[in-house]
Amino acid sequence: MALALNPHATAMLIRKLESIAALTDEQRQAIEILPVRTHNLAARQDIVRDGDKPSHCCLILDGWACRYKLLGDGSRQILSFHIPGDVPDLQSLHVHTMDHGLATLTKAKVAFIPHENLLDLTLRHPSVGALFWRETLIDAAVFRQWMVGMGRRSAFEQVAHIFCELYLKLQAMGLAEDYQCPLPITQLDLADALGLTSVHINRVVKDMRGRNLIRLHAHTLVIEAWEELLRIAEFDPTYLHLEYGAAG
């Protein structure tokens, strides 16, 4: 599919950047003229593989994706979850060989933006380049939280923490409200992200339901006791650096 202007795609990128910082009219206009190529992908399909040298970055428009690493025995470690608005391979602008894979978790629509156009954008508008840098720093902050979780939090606390994180990220993109959000991932996906077994995740989710903390139905997470979930997770949203729309 040929490169073309795509107002929906660039509006999604603008919404993402505006969740972490204010944009000027000039910055928005510069982003709006980025050329993109869109693709519809099936669930569980690789977008970019470990060892690839991509020439573009991927913007998630619809659906969920994840970064992951496969071990020699075939086991998978999920490194991060990604929702619409995320550019999960932004680092490929400067680190040219992928050291992990990026794949869809659900059916997804993605936009590919050539590196040359993104680099030109950052040269012409250094302030936009600074926002991309800020986004990668926030991404690193999320990694640190996940590392703390796997090293020091209980399974119950880990699941509570990631539910809080995902809700706030989705809310900032206008995809969640009233403590309800889509959660189209499986318990195995959660297990692979948190370093647990799917049996353990199932047990934790049942316990959370029993304590009236959450409900899960039709791929939707309903948080019934937000403040209590925050307390259990010791969740401090500062690391997400969301400028707008944080849940109160």
Side-chain angles (χ1 to χ4, degrees):
M1 190 177 294
L3 290 169
L5 298 183
N6 187 316
H8 171 67
T10 51
M12 187 73 75
L13 180 56
I14 288 168
R15 177 64 186 261
K16 172 65 177 182
L17 293 175
E18 287 188 324
S19 74
I20 61 171
L23 290 175
T24 66
D25 288 342
E26 183 182 14
Q27 289 170 334
R28 290 191 199 93
Q29 290 165 7
I31 294 168
E32 285 169 352
I33 61 173
L34 283 171
V36 305
R37 183 174 63 252
T38 59
H39 286 272
N40 292 305
L41 302 177
R44 314 288 164 176
Q45 182 175 341
D46 276 327
I47 300 171
V48 62
R49 295 183 176 91
D50 197 343
D52 282 355
K53 298 178 185 293
S55 60
H56 51 253
C57 288
C58 169
L59 167 65
I60 309 296
L61 300 179
D62 188 41
W64 285 42
C66 72
R67 293 192 188 106
Y68 73 95
K69 189 80 175 179
L70 287 180
L71 302 183
D73 63 359
S75 59
R76 176 185 65 163
Q77 177 64 51
I78 288 180
L79 305 170
S80 53
F81 291 124
H82 293 282
I83 64 171
D86 284 351
V87 185
D89 57 352
L90 190 58
Q91 74 278 1
S92 68
L93 273 176
H94 301 290
V95 180
H96 301 303
T97 302
M98 296 293 292
D99 61 6
H100 61 274
L102 173 65
T104 60
L105 289 168
T106 67
K107 289 182 180 179
K109 185 173 185 178
V110 301
F112 293 113
I113 310 172
H115 285 170
E116 59 182 314
N117 296 99
L118 285 169
L119 290 170
D120 180 65
L121 172 65
T122 62
L123 287 174
R124 289 185 294 106
H125 298 275
S127 54
V128 175
L131 286 180
F132 287 152
W133 174 229
R134 177 180 172 87
E135 172 61 17
T136 61
L137 292 173
I138 294 171
D139 202 37
V142 173
F143 273 120
R144 288 192 290 274
Q145 286 293 329
W146 281 36
M147 183 178 293
V148 171
M150 285 189 280
R152 296 300 174 188
R153 294 188 183 107
S154 69
F156 198 96
E157 292 163 348
Q158 283 191 77
V159 175
H161 200 278
I162 202 166
F163 282 171
C164 293
E165 177 182 294
L166 290 172
Y167 176 77
L168 288 181
K169 287 184 66 177
L170 288 158
Q171 185 193 46
M173 288 301 297
L175 301 172
E177 62 180 356
D178 299 328
Y179 303 105
Q180 297 187 42
C181 66
L183 192 70
I185 55 179
T186 67
Q187 291 187 356
L188 180 58
D189 295 330
L190 280 172
D192 284 353
L194 301 179
L196 301 168
T197 66
S198 56
V199 172
H200 204 159
I201 293 290
N202 184 264
R203 196 155 50 233
V204 168
V205 168
K206 283 184 178 179
D207 194 6
M208 285 185 168
R209 284 170 164 158
R211 292 168 61 172
N212 295 318
L213 294 171
I214 66 160
R215 284 186 289 118
L216 279 171
H217 63 90
H219 301 299
T220 299
L221 169 67
V222 180
I223 301 174
E224 298 189 325
W226 173 253
E227 294 297 333
E228 180 65 7
L229 206 65
L230 291 178
R231 186 193 66 77
I232 290 168
E234 296 186 356
F235 188 86
D236 179 353
T238 302
Y239 73 99
L240 294 173
H241 299 280
L242 296 172
E243 298 292 326
Y244 308 102

